[in-house]
Amino acid sequence: MSDPIKPIVPETMPGVAVAESGTVMLDGPDGVAIAMTSDAAIETGRRLIAAGEQAARQRGRRAD
Amino acid sequence: MSRTRTVDPRTAIVRRGEYINVSTYLISGYICRYMDDREGHRQLVALHVPGDFVDLHAFPMKRLDHDVASLGPVEIGTYEHETLARIGTDSPHLTRMLWYSTLLDAAMHREWIFRLGRLGAVGRVAHFFCEIDARLAMVGLSEDHRFTLPLTQADLAEATGLTGVHVNRTLRRLREDGLMSFRHGAVEIADPVRLARLAEFDPDYLYGDPPAAQER
């Protein structure tokens, strides 16, 4: 019997963001490893919060 | 071998798409294979160590879909494809070895895809050094997990899909954790077991002991 293939699912652990030499580095979750300028990081942060809140509302609706 | 020659550091050896009727064997030094995106950002897709056939797949293909360049100074030998064709006719054992070399290349590519797709920054860098250490050990160029590697942090960034700043930070973390150091082209892996665990590295894909193709 072969092992079942686990599908890639949304991460439950947040990534780790640090600032160094004027650059923001995001490590994880999963295989994410990216560096951004401060402006790009701030805007990405805003968009992530907005999308996260929207996803939470969608999940809430499904639970109804 | 038709002829040998030395190549200066950071020199193109084969250009993507050009017609090729020879294949390159790396005698000493390091060669990379790379692809550039539309904006000129480079991704290293392979690193070759002494003893590797760099572009054996050009024998049947007659061109490459990527560029090949030296990293540090290198010495290479070239084999005309006519010679390789004769080997194919006259020596089944050598033919199997050439085939083995190409298959090993493919195995390493699969592992590089895994590295970039599944590992974070620390894992990617750790995996890269674990692989190079294992490959160099096979050809006697890594002793007690120490070896020279004439790569810059920018090269390392291009091999691991990270920025230079990210690589710098990752190397510092690996050094501060007592796992390995990389300074001025000198690599010292202080804790190969922990580094391999961090990298999810298993050298099995390098088929080092003993490759079936070497059996007559």
Side-chain angles (χ1 to χ4, degrees), chain B residues 14-34:
Chain B
V14 181
R15 289 285 188 193
R16 175 182 189 157
E18 71 180 8
Y19 175 78
I20 313 172
N21 59 5
V22 296
S23 283
T24 304
Y25 178 79
L26 180 55
I27 299 169
S28 66
Y30 296 90
I31 282 177
C32 67
R33 293 199 256 156
Y34 65 93

Side-chain angles (χ1 to χ4, degrees), chain A residues 8 18 20-21 23 25-27 30-35, chain B residues 117-121 124 161-163 165-166 168-169 172:
Chain A
I8 294 176
V18 295
E20 185 168 309
S21 306
T23 298
M25 280 158 280
L26 177 63
D27 281 314
D30 218 347
V32 169
I34 192 165
Chain B
R118 301 302 309 159
L119 302 180
R124 290 183 201 179
L162 302 169
T163 62
V165 175
H166 214 154
N168 185 280
R169 175 185 165 77
R172 192 174 65 234

Side-chain angles (χ1 to χ4, degrees), chain B residues 12 15 32-36 42-46 66-69:
Chain B
R15 289 285 188 193
C32 67
R33 293 199 256 156
Y34 65 93
M35 301 171 80
D36 293 335
R42 183 158 299 176
Q43 177 73 44
L44 296 197
V45 294
H66 53 274
D67 297 291
V68 175

Side-chain angles (χ1 to χ4, degrees), chain B residues 141-199:
Chain B
L141 292 175
S142 173
E143 193 172 334
D144 199 21
H145 306 287
R146 295 176 191 194
F147 51 93
T148 57
L149 191 65
L151 263 65
T152 63
Q153 289 193 6
D155 296 326
L156 193 51
E158 289 166 356
T160 54
L162 302 169
T163 62
V165 175
H166 214 154
V167 164
N168 185 280
R169 175 185 165 77
T170 303
L171 286 172
R172 192 174 65 234
R173 180 178 155 190
L174 291 172
R175 187 175 64 246
E176 289 173 351
D177 287 350
L179 295 173
M180 62 157 291
S181 66
F182 175 52
R183 285 196 187 98
H184 308 300
V187 179
E188 184 174 344
I189 299 177
D191 194 335
V193 174
R194 276 177 60 215
L195 193 72
R197 194 180 308 130
L198 196 61

Side-chain angles (χ1 to χ4, degrees), chain A:
Chain A
M1 172 92 60
S2 60
D3 293 334
I5 297 171
K6 291 180 182 171
I8 294 176
V9 296
E11 271 294 332
T12 55
M13 301 296 290
V16 175
V18 295
E20 185 168 309
S21 306
T23 298
V24 173
M25 280 158 280
L26 177 63
D27 281 314
D30 218 347
V32 169
I34 192 165
M36 286 177 273
T37 62
S38 54
D39 287 345
I42 290 166
E43 183 56 29
T44 300
R46 286 196 190 105
R47 293 178 185 185
L48 276 172
I49 289 168
E53 289 173 347
Q54 188 180 2
R57 286 196 297 275
Q58 291 167 349
R59 224 177 32 243
R61 276 204 298 273
R62 270 206 299 270
D64 291 341

